[in-house]
Amino acid sequence: MEIRVTKQAEKKLRRGYPLLQKEDLVREVKPTKQWVSFVNEAGRFLAKGYLGEQNKGIGWVLSNKDEPIQLAFFAKLFTTAKKARERYFLDETTTAFRIFNGEGDGLGGLIIDLYESYAVFSWYNQTLFQNKEEIVAAFKQVFPEVVGAYEKIRFSDGKLPESQWLYGKEAPEPLLVKENNITYATYLNEGLMTGIFLDQKEVREALSMGLVAGKSLLNMFSYTGAFSVAAKMGGASQTTSVDLAKRSLPKTREQFEVNGLGLEENKIVVMDVFEYFKYAARKDLHFDVIVLDPPSFARNKKKVFSVAKNYGDLVEDSVDILSAEGLLVASTNAANVSREKFQKMIEESLKNKQVRFKKVNEYQLPADFKTIPEFEEGNYLKVFFYKITK
Ligand code: SAH
């Protein structure tokens, strides 16, 4: 099937941009399971790809050659992706990482993570999901060592569950994985999340390597407490993990336990972070290190939070309860906030609070989260470490 795209879209595709939007198509076309050829207004071939509705757009380019999209095509993508991650496969201290990162590895709409010898597939649109037999067959050829797999359905279908078994052996629950020799308990078939966000491994590594030794750490939006565990393993004197979700309490306790760490020096608080800031100020609590890693958007009874609008408030509240010489770990995965804008938001808030500050470290996605320069929004993670003197 041929899909005609506009002149403007033609320019984008020629620059290597892989994602199509509704307005890029000359005529509206309903996605089908079929792979398609994108052609220009004159009918000349531009690229092979597919139409599939997802949050980011309505289709992806797979190749700028007029080649068949079939098992061998996917096997080649998986082989290249595997080679690019050789060092992760060789590193026995880290057993969970991303093995296929969507458009970064040539197939927008599919992400695959490895947890020990199990894979977790995330399908971002119906079209790829409908082609999964061929895609999974190619995956099994290239990754015979993967003994079982689960899948996450990240498009709205109404019928399918968010998570289900895909093939092979079932993983134990919890499945213990290692990252820089620290153990994390993961659950591969519980909703969309597994217990650890693999994109933060280099930040956790920094915390576990002595940067926060002897210091107290407050972990805001802590989820399962992974940053706290890394910091404690790196010699932090005490940690406090704050998350609104009730499940965060047993999940965080478990992450400490699987590393043989007790809970006396590791507090877990189920509370809205904005309430916690007030509580800590009232109790005159201070922390040497504060980690701020909120979701891009969050809604609760009282208010709507978005990184783009409210991150500065978090920074200002943090300064109030930071020690006289403190470290702020400011992180976001908001794709709609550029690195420059994020840095500006943080620094403006620090100026408002009239403290001295210095950016001492910064992180982006690790190499297993492969990105391409043509698709900047794919490079979503921004983490800055600020030394702050009050
Ligand atoms: N920093 C974590 C990931 C955070 S995920 C890590 O690296 O592992 C976002 C978390 O923020 C979720 O667990 C969610 O429950 C929590 N959350 C959202 N809004 C919140 C709020 N207002 N106060 C506290 N936690 C909140």
Side-chain angles (χ1 to χ4, degrees):
M1 187 154 81
E2 287 193 349
I3 306 289
R4 213 162 276 242
V5 304
T6 64
K7 266 220 168 64
Q8 251 193 328
E10 175 179 2
K11 274 193 211 145
K12 277 202 312 196
L13 297 195
R14 288 198 190 281
R15 280 201 308 267
Y17 191 80
L19 180 62
L20 286 132
Q21 301 297 341
K22 229 188 195 117
E23 57 273 20
D24 292 334
L25 309 189
V26 171
R27 244 171 284 110
E28 200 175 320
V29 192
K30 256 202 140 16
T32 66
K33 174 183 174 187
Q34 264 179 44
W35 309 114
V36 303
S37 294
F38 295 112
V39 299
N40 69 6
E41 286 186 350
R44 271 193 51 184
F45 174 86
L46 294 169
K48 280 304 254 300
Y50 71 93
L51 293 178
E53 269 175 53
Q54 62 179 74
N55 55 351
K56 292 184 194 168
I58 56 122
W60 291 97
V61 167
L62 301 184
S63 173
N64 48 24
K65 283 204 299 258
D66 195 358
E67 61 181 316
I69 306 296
Q70 21 111 300
L71 196 142
F73 175 83
F74 298 115
K76 200 169 145 200
L77 290 184
F78 290 139
T79 305
T80 307
K82 192 177 192 184
K83 258 201 207 112
R85 290 160 177 83
E86 213 156 34
R87 72 171 167 101
Y88 292 101
F89 284 100
L90 290 173
D91 179 359
E92 286 171 9
T93 68
T94 296
T95 61
F97 53 95
R98 181 149 295 185
I99 51 182
F100 195 83
N101 195 38
E103 71 286 345
D105 283 299
L107 176 55
L110 173 66
I111 278 173
I112 310 171
D113 292 318
L114 186 72
Y115 291 82
E116 280 282 335
S117 38
Y118 299 88
V120 175
F121 285 63
S122 291
W123 307 99
Y124 283 82
N125 59 66
Q126 183 92 50
T127 309
L128 280 193
F129 186 72
Q130 288 171 333
N131 283 286
K132 81 174 181 186
E133 214 173 297
E134 200 167 37
I135 295 171
V136 172
F139 179 82
K140 286 179 174 171
Q141 266 185 19
V142 178
F143 291 93
E145 66 274 37
V146 170
V147 300
Y150 293 87
E151 61 185 359
K152 310 292 179 193
I153 315 294
R154 290 184 174 268
F155 53 89
S156 46
D157 165 88
K159 289 190 290 275
L160 291 162
E162 284 183 331
S163 176
Q164 61 186 2
W165 171 85
L166 177 58
Y167 74 80
K169 279 197 201 161
E170 298 250 15
E173 292 195 327
L175 172 70
L176 300 184
V177 300
K178 274 193 295 183
E179 184 190 86
N180 299 309
N181 258 339
I182 298 175
T183 301
Y184 295 96
T186 66
Y187 293 80
L188 301 194
N189 199 17
E190 266 187 10
L192 293 177
M193 300 191 290
T194 60
I196 185 165
F197 287 101
L198 298 175
D199 54 359
Q200 293 278 12
K201 70 168 131 292
E202 291 175 357
V203 178
R204 284 189 290 268
E205 181 178 22
L207 296 177
S208 72
M209 296 289 279
L211 183 74
V212 297
K215 299 191 153 85
S216 59
L217 174 135
L218 175 64
N219 180 5
M220 293 302 226
F221 308 92
S222 56
Y223 180 44
T224 64
F227 285 134
S228 310
V229 172
K232 190 67 197 165
M233 293 298 277
S237 59
Q238 64 109 350
T239 70
T240 302
S241 305
V242 181
D243 196 291
L244 190 57
K246 287 205 178 69
R247 54 144 208 259
S248 69
L249 176 63
K251 295 274 187 202
T252 303
R253 187 190 298 144
E254 181 178 39
Q255 300 294 19
F256 283 110
E257 278 168 5
V258 296
N259 287 288
L261 298 170
L263 292 184
E264 310 87 75
E265 293 163 340
N266 299 299
K267 292 199 188 71
I268 306 168
V269 182
V270 176
M271 200 188 278
D272 183 311
V273 297
F274 292 98
E275 292 300 316
Y276 190 82
F277 278 124
K278 284 190 225 149
Y279 166 86
R282 219 165 46 230
K283 296 270 171 184
D284 204 22
L285 300 181
H286 287 90
F287 299 89
D288 302 325
V289 185
I290 299 180
V291 181
L292 292 176
D293 180 36
S296 304
F297 301 95
R299 201 186 293 269
N300 71 24
K301 280 162 259 153
K302 277 168 253 158
K303 56 180 152 199
V304 180
F305 169 90
S306 86
V307 166
K309 288 213 185 84
N310 311 110
Y311 200 92
D313 301 340
L314 292 175
V315 172
E316 296 196 19
D317 287 345
S318 297
V319 169
D320 291 339
I321 58 168
L322 206 55
S323 306
E325 294 273 338
L327 182 72
L328 181 69
V329 176
S331 167
T332 185
N333 59 8
N336 63 331
V337 177
S338 69
R339 265 190 117 66
E340 292 68 35
K341 178 171 176 204
F342 188 51
Q343 177 166 350
K344 213 167 136 205
M345 283 175 85
I346 300 165
E347 298 190 357
E348 261 166 24
S349 300
L350 293 175
K351 280 178 201 152
N352 285 344
K353 296 302 278 186
Q354 301 186 319
V355 291
R356 280 193 290 140
F357 59 87
K358 187 170 185 247
K359 179 146 71 60
V360 288
N361 232 331
E362 59 181 282
Y363 294 87
Q364 52 181 356
L365 286 174
D368 52 329
F369 283 64
K370 195 165 180 295
T371 55
I372 49 170
E374 293 85 353
F375 192 67
E376 250 176 68
E377 55 267 52
N379 201 356
Y380 60 84
L381 184 70
K382 301 155 273 276
V383 187
F384 298 122
F385 286 29
Y386 281 95
K387 246 193 191 143
I388 293 170
T389 313
K390 295 217 270 192

